[in-house]
Amino acid sequence: MNYSIITYILGWVLMFESFFMALPCAVAAIYGEKEGYAFLIVGLICFALGFARTRKKPKNVVYFAREGFVTVALSWIVMSIFGALPFVINGDISNFTDALFETISGFTTTGASVLSDVEALSHASLFWRSFTHWIGGMGVFVFLLAVLPMVGGYNMHLMRAESPGPSVGKLVPRMKDTAKILYIIYFAMTVVEIILLLCAKMPLFDALTTSFGTAGTGGFGIKNASMRDYSLSIQMIVTVFMVLFGVNFNAYYVLLLGKHKGSIFKMEEVRWYLGIIVACIAIITFNIADVFGGFLKALPQASFQVASIITTTGFSTTDFDLWPQLSKTILVVIMFIGACAGSTGGGIKVSRIIILLKSVKQEMSYFVHPRSVKAIKMDGKALDKNTVRAVSAFLVTYVIIFGGSMFILAFDNLDMVTNFTAIAATFNNIGPGLELVGPTGNFGVFSPLAKYVLMFDMLAGRLELYPILLLFTPSVWRRS
Amino acid sequence: MNYSIITYILGWVLMFESFFMALPCAVAAIYGEKEGYAFLIVGLICFALGFARTRKKPKNVVYFAREGFVTVALSWIVMSIFGALPFVINGDISNFTDALFETISGFTTTGASVLSDVEALSHASLFWRSFTHWIGGMGVFVFLLAVLPMVGGYNMHLMRAESPGPSVGKLVPRMKDTAKILYIIYFAMTVVEIILLLCAKMPLFDALTTSFGTAGTGGFGIKNASMRDYSLSIQMIVTVFMVLFGVNFNAYYVLLLGKHKGSIFKMEEVRWYLGIIVACIAIITFNIADVFGGFLKALPQASFQVASIITTTGFSTTDFDLWPQLSKTILVVIMFIGACAGSTGGGIKVSRIIILLKSVKQEMSYFVHPRSVKAIKMDGKALDKNTVRAVSAFLVTYVIIFGGSMFILAFDNLDMVTNFTAIAATFNNIGPGLELVGPTGNFGVFSPLAKYVLMFDMLAGRLELYPILLLFTPSVWRRS
């Protein structure tokens, strides 16, 4: 294990976090809030630590996959710890565990909150909360790779450890260029959403924070009622953008090139993703028509909630915990499906679900025609056996972590639906669950132990299990 | 697809069912119950149909794995339909769907009941209910293979399709002898339990039915309160035998040979199985000590329920739905683990869990040392790659069926814990779940649609998914 290069990269991460903290400082200055000092202080500390560590490049640049995974996992933890400190210092969230929960929830784009009254926070803290979504959505290393001249050939390892999906596609031969293109698309789409929200007469501060939350598929709101009290047009804009940010970004790149007209619908994952969304909206609209007094009134509610949950954003316009069981069950099922790979969304990912379904079909054909079993195909291309094995192993690991989390949360003696959906909502980086952690509840009901388990789940979910699990594998830490 | 041999084997299955039905007829004669006629009538019909079909051996004895799977799946369905008819005819369960549910629940050794008052049934019907557990426990084909001179080389296919576990081990070179040995052990252990229960002053009828339910890990009781009102010594005998019937029967064979003293504890699966049981009993005893007023009073309750759930039997001595959340969650988790492969118990099976855990460990080592990944071992031997793949595919299929069942059950608009545990309890062949289907509730609360889904789950669970799923695969039905 090459420790010096890991701490070197951690230094860069802290440097960048210090720059990001300049934004809430600016917000505090505009609103004349004293809470901004906390961000200034922590920002300076981050800068000092980062600057000291990055002045000298490490000599040993040997860097393998495991270093990549450990670097990414540690970076997210360090980033979250420093990101939580301003909340503790300025008193907005004085308990460190709660502040850390909120920050991890932010960076992992979960949006699960321990706060019962977010409107009591300063503008600076609200801005930082939402901005962590934006940073975490596309990933901090994608950002670093896009702007930094990194040494050695370890870019791929870092990107692979941080990017969601069963396989990371390079858009262009150079990783750096891929990272740039991704961030440009991400930035541009965020700006378009901000502009549209402003056109729909949303205040600037609300438009910025809401767009950050949508882009990163995070879901922290700045109102206690989340998106409920905004106009229908604002809700519809957010609905559309949630769906758009859940699409595989490769699709946008292909669209941008303009070479393949309509090819976005030829991508198997995107087709399934949109198909699932339409089907779920249709069923739920019928199911809740009575609740809202008519299909036309139910349709936007169903659309918003389905888009919010499947993309793992977690905004809400209504308390769906009060919906009939069928609608609630559909929402719980799509919590696990999640968005497309290569998007900012979480969950198991649509492409993994497709591969899993196809592997079951393949397994059945072993019984019918043992000698003539065909390879699993995606978008017409045969999938590598290792990819299929890795996807199955992912589900197995996922189920085991889920079961373990259920066990520890049970010590709190809360009801099973709360526990189950709390884990589903954090592990899949969504935000709200049902019952006590439903849209009107919050995660403050849990004990510190349970909160740390849920923080683990959020990080494990965002980094797709292995980087975080490897931290607990003793053999990883051996010097080679 | 060789249809003639499938119907030929189905004929034999019906013949045997007619013999089995002689037993409830005898019980009715002893108790002077008119309900016995129903078993006589259906038994005669089964015999007539079976006799007609088995008089002539089919000419074409070509028989592949898919024929084996389809034969087993169809046999279990046909057996259940005819097994349900007496209940409808004698009026004990007049609704056909309910009678079918109860019979499938019996044969699959689930023990989930739609009845609110089992004490209202005739002795003949109660006996038949419990006896279906005994038939289903070891499997009807293991029985057929043990006593019948079957044609061709298809014995292995049938046994593989019906026997639980990731891989079927032949105890001795000839399948027929393996089947005989298994049934002798099964029969002998059942007799020992009956004798011990009689010694503990349980009435003969109760001892017989309870032993059938324990041996098959079924769980149908003949009292509305299940095992609650029996003496502590009876409850303890049942606890021990539930655990014993959940052990891999290979272990008993090895013990019988007397060659390998203590080797039962050398078997990795048995060690894990007993370890999990002890750990769960310990935690639950501490957790429920307050409920029962002391550790010594809580210990037998915890032991009975843990043994009952992990072996997927489903007897109960208390309403564990009232226990604290931690204990309930542990029971739900062990619902999925299940008993050992090669036992009469259901669930995912301990050996599969071990293989899954080891495959996760292996997956992690791909990240640490990509070039030196070792094969997964069980009992010191390296596992075939195909076995590992099949176990992963099993879990994937399992999760998908579970999700699909949740979706359809949600139409009934019952609470989520009821739905979730109802599926867990039927799919893993346990019996009771929590909330509305807890120890004091029953499955009569569900709509006919939901009941058919749960019947599918019971059959799919007992036959380990693929035989039942293959029935829905069009390509299986093509004549080759």
Side-chain angles (χ1 to χ4, degrees):
Chain A
M1 186 65 106
N2 186 341
Y3 288 102
S4 62
I5 197 143
I6 293 176
T7 54
Y8 175 72
I9 297 175
L10 279 176
W12 275 113
V13 170
L14 281 180
M15 290 274 274
F16 274 84
E17 185 160 23
S18 74
F19 290 124
F20 293 139
M21 282 199 186
L23 288 169
C25 291
V27 170
I30 293 167
Y31 286 93
E33 291 172 341
K34 64 173 176 14
E35 285 89 349
Y37 282 107
F39 292 95
L40 189 63
I41 296 164
V42 178
L44 289 174
I45 294 172
C46 289
F47 185 82
L49 289 172
F51 186 73
R53 184 66 196 89
T54 52
R55 274 185 68 190
K56 225 173 69 183
K57 279 191 187 178
K59 284 168 202 159
N60 179 359
V61 292
V62 175
Y63 198 81
F64 295 111
R66 60 172 174 158
E67 271 93 357
F69 280 80
V70 168
T71 307
V72 168
L74 287 179
S75 297
W76 280 72
I77 293 170
V78 167
M79 215 163 65
S80 299
I81 291 171
F82 283 93
L85 291 179
F87 293 130
V88 180
I89 294 172
N90 71 18
D92 270 343
I93 311 173
S94 52
N95 178 297
F96 177 71
T97 301
D98 285 354
L100 187 63
F101 186 98
E102 202 79 4
T103 313
I104 289 179
S105 176
F107 278 121
T108 58
T109 74
T110 306
S113 180
V114 288
L115 304 171
S116 54
D117 182 14
V118 296
E119 291 169 26
L121 297 186
S122 61
H123 284 84
S125 291
L126 281 177
F127 187 91
W128 178 240
R129 257 172 113 236
S130 295
F131 193 64
T132 53
H133 281 333
W134 199 78
I135 301 169
M138 188 50 80
V140 70
F141 284 98
V142 181
F143 187 81
L144 279 178
L145 292 177
V147 299
L148 260 193
M150 297 282 255
V151 287
Y154 49 75
N155 306 3
M156 190 62 195
H157 290 311
L158 291 172
M159 192 116 163
R160 195 158 73 97
E162 198 186 49
S163 298
S167 62
V168 176
K170 287 192 197 177
L171 298 175
V172 286
R174 283 181 62 206
M175 208 70 220
K176 190 180 165 70
D177 295 334
T178 301
K180 264 189 193 158
I181 293 166
L182 287 176
Y183 247 94
I184 290 169
I185 298 173
Y186 187 50
F187 189 82
M189 281 174 61
T190 311
V191 170
V192 173
E193 185 183 351
I194 295 169
I195 293 169
L196 286 177
L197 288 176
L198 291 174
C199 294
K201 292 180 184 154
M202 199 183 209
L204 177 63
F205 186 78
D206 302 39
L208 285 172
T209 50
T210 303
S211 298
F212 293 152
T214 319
T217 67
F220 274 147
I222 57 167
K223 307 280 185 195
N224 290 333
S226 190
M227 303 294 295
R228 191 189 67 198
D229 297 333
Y230 290 107
S231 69
L232 188 63
S233 54
I234 287 175
Q235 293 180 355
M236 286 299 95
I237 292 168
V238 174
T239 305
V240 170
F241 274 88
M242 287 193 292
V243 173
L244 290 177
F245 280 107
V247 171
N248 193 324
F249 273 47
N250 291 1
Y252 296 124
Y253 182 65
V254 170
L255 274 187
L256 271 180
L257 290 182
K259 282 181 191 162
H260 309 269
K261 266 201 174 172
S263 65
I264 189 167
F265 295 105
K266 277 188 199 149
M267 290 180 72
E268 211 171 338
E269 185 180 26
V270 178
R271 226 166 48 217
W272 276 70
Y273 168 70
L274 297 175
I276 294 168
I277 291 177
V278 171
C280 293
I281 291 175
I283 300 173
I284 293 182
T285 302
F286 274 87
N287 191 232
I288 62 170
D290 288 347
V291 179
F292 291 95
F295 290 104
L296 283 178
K297 281 184 181 159
L299 182 63
Q301 298 293 338
S303 309
F304 191 95
Q305 256 61 238
V306 167
S308 176
I309 297 290
I310 198 167
T311 61
T312 73
T313 307
F315 284 136
S316 62
T317 55
T318 182
D319 185 2
F320 50 76
D321 198 26
L322 304 174
W323 285 4
Q325 205 56 239
L326 178 63
S327 297
K328 284 204 284 188
T329 302
I330 290 174
L331 290 181
V332 170
V333 171
I334 62 176
M335 274 185 169
F336 291 94
I337 295 176
C340 295
S343 75
T344 62
I348 291 174
K349 307 285 175 321
V350 174
S351 57
R352 278 207 187 86
I353 301 285
I354 300 173
I355 293 172
L356 290 172
L357 285 170
K358 287 185 178 180
S359 74
V360 168
K361 210 180 145 194
Q362 192 196 38
E363 189 67 21
M364 307 250 304
S365 65
Y366 276 109
F367 294 107
V368 187
H369 308 290
R371 277 156 221 279
S372 59
V373 174
K374 286 171 199 154
I376 296 175
K377 285 183 179 181
M378 273 281 271
D379 288 326
K381 281 178 220 150
L383 282 180
D384 183 13
K385 272 203 172 177
N386 278 330
T387 306
V388 179
R389 195 213 62 233
V391 169
S392 292
F394 180 91
L395 186 75
V396 173
T397 316
Y398 184 96
V399 170
I400 291 169
I401 295 179
F402 205 102
S405 302
M406 275 300 280
F407 175 70
I408 306 181
L409 256 65
F411 281 90
D412 278 17
N413 208 19
L414 301 176
D415 71 285
M416 217 172 272
V417 174
T418 296
N419 289 351
F420 186 87
T421 59
I423 297 165
T426 48
F427 203 17
N428 297 314
N429 303 132
I430 296 161
L434 297 174
E435 299 285 342
L436 295 177
V437 293
T440 58
N442 68 72
F443 286 73
V445 293
F446 288 106
S447 67
L449 174 69
K451 280 177 191 162
Y452 279 101
V453 170
L454 295 173
M455 288 185 224
F456 172 89
D457 289 344
M458 290 192 273
L459 286 167
R462 172 60 182 84
L463 300 178
E464 309 222 306
L465 318 183
Y466 301 111
I468 290 293
L469 283 184
L470 282 176
L471 294 184
F472 297 90
T473 311
S475 65
V476 167
W477 297 99
R478 258 176 243 140
R479 282 178 187 275
S480 51
Chain B
M1 186 64 106
N2 185 341
Y3 287 103
S4 61
I5 197 142
I6 293 176
T7 55
Y8 174 73
I9 297 175
L10 278 175
W12 275 111
V13 170
L14 281 180
M15 289 274 274
F16 274 85
E17 185 160 25
S18 73
F19 290 124
F20 292 140
M21 282 198 187
L23 288 169
C25 290
V27 170
I30 292 166
Y31 286 91
E33 290 173 340
K34 64 173 177 10
E35 284 88 348
Y37 282 109
F39 292 94
L40 190 64
I41 296 165
V42 178
L44 289 175
I45 294 172
C46 288
F47 185 81
L49 288 172
F51 186 73
R53 185 65 196 89
T54 53
R55 275 186 66 191
K56 225 173 69 184
K57 279 191 185 177
K59 285 168 203 160
N60 180 359
V61 291
V62 175
Y63 199 81
F64 295 112
R66 62 171 172 156
E67 271 93 357
F69 281 81
V70 167
T71 307
V72 168
L74 287 179
S75 297
W76 280 72
I77 292 170
V78 167
M79 216 163 65
S80 301
I81 291 172
F82 281 94
L85 290 179
F87 294 131
V88 181
I89 294 172
N90 71 17
D92 271 344
I93 310 173
S94 53
N95 179 296
F96 177 73
T97 301
D98 285 353
L100 188 62
F101 185 98
E102 203 79 3
T103 314
I104 290 179
S105 176
F107 278 121
T108 58
T109 74
T110 305
S113 179
V114 288
L115 304 171
S116 55
D117 182 13
V118 296
E119 291 169 26
L121 296 185
S122 60
H123 285 83
S125 292
L126 282 177
F127 188 91
W128 178 239
R129 258 173 111 235
S130 294
F131 194 64
T132 54
H133 281 334
W134 199 80
I135 302 170
M138 188 49 80
V140 70
F141 284 98
V142 182
F143 188 80
L144 278 179
L145 292 177
V147 298
L148 259 194
M150 296 282 256
V151 288
Y154 50 75
N155 306 3
M156 190 62 195
H157 290 313
L158 289 172
M159 192 117 163
R160 195 157 74 97
E162 198 186 49
S163 298
S167 60
V168 176
K170 286 191 198 179
L171 299 175
V172 285
R174 283 179 63 204
M175 207 71 220
K176 188 181 167 69
D177 296 332
T178 301
K180 263 188 194 159
I181 293 166
L182 287 175
Y183 247 93
I184 290 169
I185 298 173
Y186 187 50
F187 189 81
M189 282 174 60
T190 311
V191 171
V192 173
E193 185 183 352
I194 294 169
I195 293 169
L196 287 177
L197 288 176
L198 290 174
C199 295
K201 293 181 183 152
M202 197 183 208
L204 177 64
F205 186 79
D206 302 41
L208 286 171
T209 50
T210 303
S211 298
F212 294 153
T214 319
T217 67
F220 273 147
I222 57 166
K223 307 280 182 195
N224 290 334
S226 190
M227 303 293 295
R228 190 190 66 198
D229 297 333
Y230 290 107
S231 68
L232 188 64
S233 55
I234 288 175
Q235 292 180 355
M236 285 300 94
I237 292 167
V238 174
T239 305
V240 170
F241 274 88
M242 287 193 292
V243 173
L244 290 177
F245 281 107
V247 172
N248 193 325
F249 272 49
N250 292 1
Y252 296 124
Y253 182 64
V254 171
L255 274 187
L256 271 181
L257 290 182
K259 284 180 192 163
H260 310 270
K261 268 202 173 171
S263 67
I264 189 165
F265 294 105
K266 278 188 198 149
M267 290 180 73
E268 210 171 338
E269 185 180 27
V270 178
R271 226 166 47 218
W272 276 71
Y273 168 70
L274 296 175
I276 294 169
I277 290 178
V278 170
C280 293
I281 291 175
I283 300 174
I284 292 182
T285 301
F286 274 88
N287 192 231
I288 62 170
D290 289 346
V291 179
F292 291 95
F295 290 105
L296 283 178
K297 282 185 181 158
L299 182 64
Q301 298 293 337
S303 309
F304 190 96
Q305 256 61 236
V306 167
S308 176
I309 297 291
I310 198 167
T311 62
T312 73
T313 307
F315 284 136
S316 62
T317 53
T318 182
D319 186 2
F320 51 76
D321 197 27
L322 304 173
W323 286 3
Q325 206 55 241
L326 178 62
S327 297
K328 285 205 285 188
T329 302
I330 290 175
L331 290 181
V332 170
V333 171
I334 63 175
M335 274 185 169
F336 291 94
I337 296 176
C340 296
S343 75
T344 63
I348 292 174
K349 307 282 176 319
V350 175
S351 56
R352 279 210 186 84
I353 302 285
I354 300 173
I355 294 173
L356 290 172
L357 286 170
K358 288 186 177 179
S359 75
V360 168
K361 211 179 145 196
Q362 191 194 38
E363 188 67 22
M364 307 248 306
S365 65
Y366 275 110
F367 294 109
V368 186
H369 308 290
R371 276 157 223 277
S372 58
V373 174
K374 286 172 200 154
I376 296 175
K377 285 185 180 180
M378 273 281 270
D379 287 326
K381 281 177 219 151
L383 282 180
D384 183 13
K385 272 202 173 179
N386 279 329
T387 306
V388 180
R389 195 213 60 234
V391 170
S392 294
F394 181 90
L395 186 76
V396 173
T397 315
Y398 185 95
V399 170
I400 291 170
I401 295 179
F402 205 103
S405 302
M406 275 300 280
F407 175 70
I408 306 182
L409 255 65
F411 281 89
D412 277 18
N413 209 20
L414 301 176
D415 71 286
M416 217 172 271
V417 174
T418 295
N419 289 350
F420 187 87
T421 60
I423 297 167
T426 48
F427 202 18
N428 297 316
N429 303 132
I430 296 161
L434 297 174
E435 299 284 343
L436 294 178
V437 293
T440 59
N442 68 72
F443 286 73
V445 293
F446 287 106
S447 67
L449 174 68
K451 281 177 190 161
Y452 279 102
V453 170
L454 295 172
M455 289 185 223
F456 172 90
D457 288 345
M458 290 192 273
L459 286 168
R462 171 61 184 82
L463 301 177
E464 308 224 304
L465 318 183
Y466 300 112
I468 290 293
L469 282 183
L470 282 177
L471 294 184
F472 297 90
T473 312
S475 65
V476 167
W477 297 99
R478 258 177 243 139
R479 283 177 186 274
S480 53

